[in-house]
Amino acid sequence: MKHFRRFALSMLLTSMVGSPIFAQDQEPFNLDKMLNFGAMLTLNAEREKEMKQARAKEVMQDNEYVYTGYEEGIFFCNPLVLDGEPLDYGDFNLLATGELTVSKGVARGQTTQIPFYVYLRRDGNKVLIPGKELPDPGQIKIDIAEILRYAEPGDHLVIEAVRREDGPAKRILKLLEPGC
């Protein structure tokens, strides 16, 4: 019975593919055209990946942190978390939304959120944000859109830890307009 189903299915497909109605709607199969299309898709994907990596390098600035000897914990190369996922520097821009947190490792496989300050810097000067004039030393999360609505292209978003032992988590991100 199992073999009969396979045979019947293959006969049905053969008759459909060989039918004049099906054949008139299709171009002849062109292997070169299909290979060129596949190569073009691969090249486009590689180019997009390269452009995203270049943008990520432009966004991620030197964190200006100097080790003090008070550091405690395991500091990730990317401690920033946006909506529960590691921040993607290649996609981050002025229109980013979501809840920003900063994490560090405390033991193997365990992470903890650390309190942090966040502010904008324009031309080397801190930008005053209404309602955020005094930093909150207990802040462990923030809606990033609250800060970015006061940002301009080229500003820096500065995220730095409140506690001295969490200093390596400091990050400075250059804010770019959406797109590549």
Coordinates of all heavy atoms in Angstrom, one line a residue, residues 64-147:
E64 N 36.3 55.0 27.0 CA 37.0 56.0 27.8 C 37.2 55.4 29.3 O 37.5 56.2 30.2 CB 36.3 57.3 27.9 CG 36.1 57.9 26.5 CD 35.2 59.2 26.6 OE1 34.7 59.5 27.7 OE2 35.0 59.8 25.6
Y65 N 37.1 54.1 29.5 CA 37.3 53.6 30.8 C 38.7 53.3 31.1 O 39.4 52.7 30.3 CB 36.4 52.4 31.0 CG 36.5 51.8 32.4 CD1 35.9 52.5 33.5 CD2 37.2 50.7 32.7 CE1 36.0 52.0 34.8 CE2 37.3 50.2 34.0 CZ 36.7 50.9 35.0 OH 36.8 50.4 36.3
V66 N 39.2 53.6 32.3 CA 40.5 53.3 32.7 C 40.4 52.3 33.9 O 39.7 52.7 34.9 CB 41.3 54.5 33.1 CG1 42.7 54.1 33.7 CG2 41.4 55.5 32.0
Y67 N 41.0 51.2 33.9 CA 40.9 50.2 35.0 C 41.4 50.8 36.3 O 42.5 51.4 36.3 CB 41.5 48.9 34.6 CG 40.7 48.1 33.7 CD1 40.9 48.2 32.3 CD2 39.7 47.2 34.2 CE1 40.1 47.5 31.4 CE2 38.9 46.5 33.3 CZ 39.1 46.6 31.9 OH 38.3 45.9 31.1
T68 N 40.7 50.5 37.4 CA 41.1 51.1 38.7 C 41.6 50.1 39.7 O 42.1 50.4 40.7 CB 39.9 51.9 39.3 OG1 38.8 50.9 39.5 CG2 39.4 53.0 38.3
G69 N 41.3 48.8 39.4 CA 41.6 47.8 40.4 C 40.5 47.4 41.3 O 40.5 46.5 42.1
Y70 N 39.3 48.1 41.2 CA 38.2 47.9 42.0 C 37.1 47.0 41.3 O 36.1 46.7 41.9 CB 37.5 49.2 42.4 CG 38.3 50.0 43.4 CD1 39.1 51.1 42.9 CD2 38.4 49.7 44.7 CE1 39.9 51.8 43.7 CE2 39.1 50.5 45.6 CZ 39.9 51.5 45.1 OH 40.7 52.3 45.9
E71 N 37.4 46.6 40.1 CA 36.4 45.9 39.3 C 36.1 44.5 39.9 O 37.0 43.8 40.4 CB 37.0 45.6 37.8 CG 37.2 46.9 37.1 CD 38.5 47.7 37.4 OE1 39.3 47.2 38.2 OE2 38.6 48.8 36.9
E72 N 34.8 44.2 39.9 CA 34.3 42.9 40.4 C 33.3 42.3 39.4 O 32.4 43.0 39.0 CB 33.7 43.1 41.8 CG 34.6 43.5 42.9 CD 33.9 43.7 44.2 OE1 32.7 43.2 44.3 OE2 34.5 44.3 45.1
G73 N 33.5 41.0 39.1 CA 32.5 40.4 38.2 C 33.1 40.1 36.9 O 34.3 40.3 36.6
I74 N 32.3 39.5 36.0 CA 32.7 39.2 34.7 C 32.0 40.2 33.7 O 30.8 40.3 33.7 CB 32.2 37.8 34.3 CG1 32.8 36.8 35.3 CG2 32.6 37.4 32.9 CD1 32.2 35.4 35.3
F75 N 32.8 41.0 33.0 CA 32.3 42.0 32.2 C 32.2 41.5 30.7 O 33.2 41.1 30.1 CB 33.1 43.3 32.3 CG 33.0 43.8 33.7 CD1 33.9 43.5 34.7 CD2 31.9 44.5 34.1 CE1 33.8 44.0 36.0 CE2 31.7 45.0 35.4 CZ 32.7 44.7 36.3
F76 N 31.1 41.6 30.1 CA 30.9 41.1 28.8 C 31.4 42.2 27.8 O 31.4 43.4 28.1 CB 29.4 40.9 28.5 CG 28.7 40.0 29.5 CD1 27.7 40.4 30.3 CD2 29.1 38.7 29.6 CE1 27.1 39.6 31.2 CE2 28.5 37.8 30.5 CZ 27.5 38.3 31.3
C77 N 31.7 41.7 26.6 CA 32.1 42.7 25.6 C 31.0 43.5 25.1 O 31.1 44.6 24.7 CB 32.7 42.0 24.4 SG 31.6 40.8 23.5
N78 N 29.7 43.1 25.4 CA 28.5 43.9 25.1 C 27.6 43.7 26.3 O 26.7 42.8 26.3 CB 27.8 43.4 23.8 CG 26.6 44.3 23.5 OD1 26.3 45.2 24.2 ND2 25.9 43.9 22.5
P79 N 27.7 44.6 27.3 CA 26.9 44.4 28.5 C 25.5 45.1 28.3 O 24.6 44.9 29.2 CB 27.7 45.2 29.6 CG 28.3 46.3 28.8 CD 28.7 45.6 27.5
L80 N 25.2 45.7 27.2 CA 24.0 46.4 27.0 C 22.9 45.5 26.5 O 23.1 44.7 25.5 CB 24.1 47.6 26.0 CG 25.2 48.6 26.4 CD1 25.3 49.7 25.3 CD2 25.0 49.2 27.7
V81 N 21.7 45.5 27.1 CA 20.6 44.6 26.7 C 19.4 45.5 26.4 O 19.0 46.4 27.2 CB 20.3 43.7 27.9 CG1 19.1 42.8 27.5 CG2 21.5 42.8 28.3
L82 N 18.8 45.3 25.3 CA 17.6 46.1 24.8 C 16.5 45.1 24.7 O 16.6 44.2 23.8 CB 17.9 46.8 23.5 CG 16.9 47.9 23.1 CD1 16.7 49.0 24.1 CD2 17.3 48.5 21.8
D83 N 15.5 45.3 25.5 CA 14.3 44.4 25.4 C 14.7 42.9 25.6 O 14.2 42.0 24.9 CB 13.5 44.6 24.2 CG 12.6 45.8 24.2 OD1 12.4 46.4 25.3 OD2 12.2 46.3 23.1
G84 N 15.6 42.6 26.5 CA 16.0 41.3 26.8 C 17.0 40.6 25.9 O 17.4 39.5 26.1
E85 N 17.4 41.3 24.8 CA 18.4 40.8 23.8 C 19.6 41.7 23.8 O 19.5 42.9 24.0 CB 17.8 40.8 22.4 CG 16.5 40.0 22.3 CD 16.9 38.5 22.3 OE1 18.0 38.1 21.8 OE2 16.1 37.7 22.9
P86 N 20.8 41.1 23.6 CA 22.0 41.9 23.5 C 21.8 43.0 22.5 O 21.2 42.8 21.4 CB 23.1 41.0 23.1 CG 22.6 39.6 23.5 CD 21.1 39.7 23.4
L87 N 22.2 44.2 22.8 CA 22.1 45.4 21.9 C 22.9 45.1 20.6 O 24.0 44.8 20.7 CB 22.6 46.7 22.5 CG 22.4 47.9 21.7 CD1 21.0 48.4 21.8 CD2 23.4 49.0 22.1
D88 N 22.2 45.3 19.5 CA 22.9 45.1 18.2 C 23.3 46.5 17.7 O 22.5 47.3 17.3 CB 21.9 44.5 17.2 CG 22.5 44.2 15.8 OD1 23.7 44.7 15.6 OD2 21.9 43.5 15.0
Y89 N 24.6 46.7 17.8 CA 25.2 48.0 17.5 C 24.9 48.4 16.0 O 24.8 49.5 15.7 CB 26.7 48.1 17.8 CG 27.0 47.9 19.2 CD1 27.8 46.9 19.6 CD2 26.6 48.8 20.2 CE1 28.2 46.7 21.0 CE2 26.9 48.7 21.5 CZ 27.7 47.6 21.9 OH 28.0 47.5 23.2
G90 N 24.9 47.4 15.1 CA 24.6 47.6 13.7 C 23.2 48.1 13.4 O 23.0 48.8 12.4
D91 N 22.3 47.8 14.3 CA 20.9 48.3 14.1 C 20.5 49.5 14.9 O 19.5 50.1 14.7 CB 19.9 47.1 14.4 CG 19.9 46.1 13.3 OD1 20.3 46.4 12.1 OD2 19.6 44.9 13.6
F92 N 21.4 49.8 15.9 CA 21.0 50.9 16.9 C 21.1 52.2 16.2 O 22.0 52.5 15.4 CB 22.0 50.8 18.0 CG 21.6 51.7 19.2 CD1 20.5 51.4 20.0 CD2 22.3 52.9 19.4 CE1 20.1 52.2 21.0 CE2 21.9 53.7 20.5 CZ 20.8 53.4 21.3
N93 N 20.1 53.0 16.4 CA 20.0 54.4 15.8 C 19.1 55.3 16.6 O 18.7 54.9 17.7 CB 19.5 54.3 14.3 CG 18.1 53.7 14.3 OD1 17.2 54.3 14.8 ND2 17.9 52.6 13.6
L94 N 19.0 56.5 16.1 CA 18.2 57.5 16.8 C 16.7 57.2 17.1 O 16.1 57.7 18.0 CB 18.2 58.8 16.0 CG 19.5 59.7 16.1 CD1 19.4 60.7 15.0 CD2 19.7 60.3 17.4
L95 N 16.2 56.2 16.3 CA 14.8 55.9 16.5 C 14.6 54.6 17.3 O 13.5 54.0 17.4 CB 14.1 55.7 15.1 CG 14.2 56.9 14.2 CD1 13.5 56.6 12.9 CD2 13.5 58.1 14.9
A96 N 15.7 54.1 18.0 CA 15.6 52.9 18.7 C 14.6 53.0 19.9 O 14.4 54.1 20.4 CB 17.0 52.5 19.3
T97 N 13.9 52.0 20.2 CA 12.9 51.9 21.3 C 13.2 50.7 22.1 O 13.8 49.7 21.6 CB 11.5 51.9 20.7 OG1 11.3 50.7 19.9 CG2 11.2 53.1 19.9
G98 N 12.7 50.7 23.3 CA 12.8 49.5 24.1 C 13.4 49.8 25.5 O 13.8 51.0 25.8
E99 N 13.4 48.8 26.3 CA 13.9 49.0 27.7 C 15.4 48.6 27.7 O 15.8 47.4 27.4 CB 13.1 48.1 28.6 CG 13.4 48.3 30.1 CD 12.5 47.4 30.9 OE1 12.8 46.2 31.1 OE2 11.5 48.0 31.4
L100 N 16.2 49.5 28.1 CA 17.7 49.3 28.2 C 18.1 48.9 29.6 O 17.7 49.5 30.5 CB 18.4 50.6 27.8 CG 19.9 50.5 27.8 CD1 20.5 49.7 26.7 CD2 20.6 51.9 27.7
T101 N 18.9 47.8 29.7 CA 19.5 47.4 30.9 C 21.0 47.2 30.7 O 21.4 47.0 29.5 CB 18.8 46.2 31.5 OG1 18.9 45.1 30.5 CG2 17.4 46.4 31.8
V102 N 21.7 47.1 31.7 CA 23.2 46.8 31.7 C 23.4 45.6 32.5 O 23.0 45.5 33.7 CB 24.0 48.0 32.1 CG1 25.5 47.7 32.0 CG2 23.7 49.2 31.3
S103 N 24.1 44.6 32.0 CA 24.4 43.3 32.7 C 25.8 43.0 32.9 O 26.7 43.5 32.1 CB 23.7 42.2 31.9 OG 22.3 42.3 31.8
K104 N 26.1 42.2 33.9 CA 27.5 41.7 34.0 C 27.3 40.2 34.6 O 26.3 39.9 35.2 CB 28.3 42.5 35.0 CG 28.0 42.4 36.4 CD 29.1 43.1 37.2 CE 28.8 43.0 38.7 NZ 29.8 43.6 39.5
G105 N 28.3 39.4 34.4 CA 28.3 38.1 35.0 C 28.7 38.1 36.4 O 29.7 38.8 36.8
V106 N 28.1 37.3 37.2 CA 28.5 37.2 38.7 C 29.0 35.9 39.0 O 29.8 35.7 39.9 CB 27.3 37.6 39.6 CG1 27.0 39.0 39.5 CG2 26.1 36.7 39.3
A107 N 28.6 34.9 38.2 CA 29.1 33.5 38.4 C 28.9 32.8 37.0 O 28.2 33.4 36.2 CB 28.4 32.8 39.5
R108 N 29.4 31.7 36.9 CA 29.3 30.9 35.6 C 27.8 30.8 35.3 O 27.1 30.2 36.0 CB 30.0 29.6 35.7 CG 30.0 28.8 34.4 CD 30.8 27.6 34.5 NE 32.2 27.8 34.4 CZ 32.9 27.8 33.3 NH1 32.2 27.6 32.1 NH2 34.2 27.9 33.2
G109 N 27.4 31.4 34.1 CA 26.1 31.2 33.6 C 25.1 32.1 34.3 O 23.9 32.1 33.9
Q110 N 25.5 32.9 35.2 CA 24.5 33.8 35.9 C 24.9 35.3 35.6 O 26.1 35.6 35.6 CB 24.5 33.6 37.4 CG 24.1 32.3 37.8 CD 24.1 32.1 39.4 OE1 24.9 32.8 40.0 NE2 23.3 31.2 39.9
T111 N 23.9 36.1 35.4 CA 24.1 37.5 35.1 C 23.2 38.3 36.1 O 22.3 37.8 36.7 CB 23.7 37.9 33.7 OG1 22.3 37.7 33.5 CG2 24.5 37.2 32.7
T112 N 23.6 39.6 36.3 CA 22.9 40.5 37.1 C 22.8 41.8 36.4 O 23.7 42.2 35.7 CB 23.5 40.6 38.5 OG1 22.6 41.4 39.3 CG2 24.9 41.2 38.5
Q113 N 21.7 42.5 36.6 CA 21.6 43.9 36.1 C 22.3 44.8 37.1 O 22.2 44.7 38.3 CB 20.1 44.3 35.9 CG 19.4 43.5 34.9 CD 18.0 43.8 34.8 OE1 17.4 44.4 35.6 NE2 17.4 43.4 33.6
I114 N 23.0 45.8 36.5 CA 23.7 46.7 37.4 C 23.1 48.1 37.2 O 22.6 48.5 36.1 CB 25.2 46.8 37.1 CG1 25.5 47.2 35.6 CG2 25.8 45.4 37.4 CD1 27.0 47.3 35.3
P115 N 23.1 48.9 38.3 CA 22.6 50.3 38.2 C 23.5 51.2 37.3 O 24.8 51.0 37.3 CB 22.6 50.8 39.6 CG 23.5 49.9 40.4 CD 23.6 48.6 39.6
F116 N 22.9 52.1 36.5 CA 23.7 52.9 35.6 C 23.1 54.2 35.4 O 22.0 54.5 35.7 CB 23.8 52.2 34.2 CG 22.5 52.0 33.5 CD1 22.1 52.9 32.6 CD2 21.7 50.9 33.8 CE1 20.9 52.7 31.9 CE2 20.5 50.7 33.2 CZ 20.1 51.6 32.2
Y117 N 24.0 55.1 34.9 CA 23.5 56.5 34.5 C 23.5 56.5 33.0 O 24.3 55.8 32.4 CB 24.5 57.6 35.0 CG 24.7 57.7 36.4 CD1 26.0 57.6 37.0 CD2 23.7 57.9 37.3 CE1 26.2 57.7 38.3 CE2 23.9 58.0 38.7 CZ 25.2 57.9 39.2 OH 25.4 58.0 40.5
V118 N 22.7 57.2 32.4 CA 22.6 57.4 30.9 C 22.4 58.9 30.6 O 21.6 59.5 31.3 CB 21.6 56.5 30.3 CG1 20.2 56.8 30.7 CG2 21.7 56.5 28.8
Y119 N 23.2 59.4 29.7 CA 23.0 60.8 29.3 C 23.5 61.0 27.8 O 24.2 60.1 27.3 CB 23.7 61.7 30.2 CG 25.2 61.5 30.4 CD1 26.1 62.2 29.6 CD2 25.7 60.7 31.4 CE1 27.4 62.0 29.7 CE2 27.0 60.5 31.5 CZ 27.9 61.2 30.7 OH 29.3 61.0 30.9
L120 N 23.2 62.1 27.3 CA 23.6 62.5 25.9 C 24.8 63.4 26.0 O 24.8 64.3 26.9 CB 22.5 63.1 25.1 CG 21.3 62.2 24.8 CD1 20.2 63.1 24.2 CD2 21.7 61.2 23.8
R121 N 25.7 63.3 25.1 CA 26.8 64.3 25.0 C 26.9 64.8 23.6 O 26.9 64.0 22.7 CB 28.1 63.5 25.4 CG 29.3 64.4 25.6 CD 30.4 63.7 26.3 NE 30.9 62.6 25.5 CZ 31.8 61.7 25.9 NH1 32.2 61.8 27.1 NH2 32.1 60.7 25.1
R122 N 26.9 66.1 23.5 CA 26.9 66.8 22.2 C 28.1 67.7 22.2 O 28.2 68.6 23.1 CB 25.6 67.5 21.9 CG 25.5 68.2 20.6 CD 24.1 68.8 20.4 NE 23.1 67.8 20.5 CZ 21.9 68.0 21.1 NH1 21.6 69.2 21.6 NH2 21.0 67.1 21.2
D123 N 29.0 67.6 21.2 CA 30.2 68.4 21.1 C 30.9 68.5 22.5 O 31.4 69.5 22.9 CB 29.8 69.9 20.7 CG 29.1 69.9 19.3 OD1 29.5 69.1 18.5 OD2 28.2 70.7 19.1
G124 N 31.0 67.4 23.1 CA 31.8 67.3 24.4 C 31.0 67.7 25.6 O 31.6 67.7 26.7
N125 N 29.8 68.3 25.5 CA 29.1 68.8 26.6 C 27.8 67.9 26.9 O 27.2 67.4 25.9 CB 28.6 70.2 26.3 CG 29.8 71.1 26.2 OD1 30.7 71.1 26.9 ND2 29.7 71.9 25.1
K126 N 27.5 67.8 28.1 CA 26.3 67.0 28.5 C 25.0 67.7 28.1 O 24.9 69.0 28.3 CB 26.3 66.8 30.0 CG 25.3 65.8 30.5 CD 25.5 65.5 32.0 CE 24.5 64.5 32.5 NZ 24.7 64.2 33.9
V127 N 24.1 67.0 27.5 CA 22.8 67.6 27.1 C 21.8 67.4 28.2 O 21.7 66.3 28.8 CB 22.3 66.9 25.8 CG1 20.9 67.4 25.5 CG2 23.2 67.0 24.7
L128 N 21.2 68.6 28.7 CA 20.3 68.5 29.7 C 18.9 67.9 29.2 O 18.4 68.4 28.2 CB 20.0 69.8 30.4 CG 21.2 70.4 31.2 CD1 20.9 71.8 31.7 CD2 21.6 69.5 32.3
I129 N 18.4 66.9 29.9 CA 17.2 66.3 29.5 C 16.1 66.6 30.5 O 16.3 66.3 31.7 CB 17.3 64.8 29.3 CG1 18.4 64.5 28.2 CG2 16.0 64.1 29.0 CD1 18.8 63.1 28.1
P130 N 15.0 67.2 30.2 CA 14.0 67.6 31.2 C 13.5 66.3 32.0 O 13.2 65.3 31.4 CB 12.8 68.1 30.3 CG 13.5 68.6 29.1 CD 14.6 67.7 28.8
G131 N 13.5 66.4 33.3 CA 13.2 65.3 34.1 C 14.3 64.4 34.5 O 14.2 63.5 35.3
K132 N 15.4 64.6 33.8 CA 16.6 63.7 34.1 C 17.8 64.5 34.5 O 19.0 64.1 34.3 CB 16.9 62.9 32.8 CG 15.9 62.0 32.3 CD 15.9 60.7 33.1 CE 14.8 59.8 32.6 NZ 14.6 58.7 33.5
E133 N 17.6 65.7 35.0 CA 18.7 66.6 35.4 C 19.6 65.9 36.5 O 20.8 66.0 36.5 CB 18.2 67.9 35.9 CG 17.6 68.8 34.8 CD 16.1 68.5 34.7 OE1 15.5 67.7 35.4 OE2 15.4 69.2 33.9
L134 N 18.9 65.3 37.5 CA 19.6 64.6 38.5 C 19.6 63.1 38.2 O 18.5 62.5 38.1 CB 18.9 64.8 39.9 CG 18.9 66.3 40.3 CD1 18.1 66.4 41.6 CD2 20.3 66.8 40.6
P135 N 20.8 62.5 38.2 CA 20.8 61.0 37.8 C 20.2 60.2 39.0 O 20.3 60.6 40.1 CB 22.3 60.8 37.6 CG 23.0 61.9 38.3 CD 22.1 63.1 38.3
D136 N 19.6 59.1 38.6 CA 19.0 58.2 39.6 C 20.0 57.0 39.9 O 20.3 56.2 39.0 CB 17.7 57.6 39.0 CG 17.1 56.6 40.0 OD1 17.6 56.4 41.1 OD2 16.1 56.0 39.6
P137 N 20.7 57.0 41.0 CA 21.7 56.0 41.3 C 21.1 54.6 41.4 O 21.9 53.6 41.4 CB 22.3 56.4 42.6 CG 21.3 57.3 43.3 CD 20.5 57.9 42.2
G138 N 19.8 54.4 41.5 CA 19.2 53.1 41.6 C 18.6 52.6 40.3 O 18.0 51.5 40.2
Q139 N 18.8 53.3 39.2 CA 18.3 53.0 37.9 C 18.9 51.7 37.3 O 20.1 51.7 37.1 CB 18.5 54.2 37.0 CG 18.0 53.9 35.5 CD 18.2 55.2 34.7 OE1 17.4 56.0 34.8 NE2 19.4 55.3 34.1
I140 N 18.1 50.7 37.1 CA 18.6 49.5 36.4 C 18.0 49.2 35.1 O 18.4 48.3 34.4 CB 18.5 48.2 37.3 CG1 17.0 48.0 37.7 CG2 19.4 48.3 38.6 CD1 16.8 46.6 38.3
K141 N 17.0 50.1 34.7 CA 16.4 50.0 33.4 C 15.8 51.4 33.0 O 15.5 52.2 33.9 CB 15.3 48.9 33.3 CG 14.2 49.2 34.3 CD 13.2 48.0 34.2 CE 12.1 48.3 35.2 NZ 11.1 47.2 35.2
I142 N 15.7 51.6 31.7 CA 15.2 52.9 31.2 C 14.6 52.7 29.8 O 15.2 51.9 29.0 CB 16.3 54.0 31.2 CG1 15.6 55.3 30.9 CG2 17.4 53.7 30.2 CD1 16.5 56.5 31.2
D143 N 13.6 53.4 29.5 CA 13.0 53.4 28.2 C 13.9 54.3 27.3 O 14.0 55.5 27.6 CB 11.6 53.9 28.2 CG 10.9 53.9 26.8 OD1 11.6 53.5 25.8 OD2 9.8 54.4 26.7
I144 N 14.6 53.7 26.4 CA 15.7 54.4 25.7 C 15.1 55.5 24.8 O 15.7 56.5 24.6 CB 16.5 53.4 24.8 CG1 17.8 54.1 24.3 CG2 15.7 52.9 23.6 CD1 18.7 54.4 25.4
A145 N 13.8 55.4 24.4 CA 13.2 56.4 23.6 C 13.0 57.7 24.4 O 13.1 58.8 23.8 CB 11.8 56.0 23.1
E146 N 13.0 57.7 25.8 CA 12.9 58.9 26.6 C 14.1 59.7 26.4 O 14.1 61.0 26.5 CB 12.7 58.5 28.1 CG 11.4 57.9 28.5 CD 11.4 57.6 30.0 OE1 12.1 58.2 30.7 OE2 10.6 56.7 30.3
I147 N 15.3 59.1 26.3 CA 16.5 59.8 26.1 C 16.7 60.2 24.6 O 17.1 61.3 24.3 CB 17.7 58.9 26.6 CG1 17.5 58.4 28.0 CG2 19.0 59.6 26.4 CD1 17.5 59.5 29.0

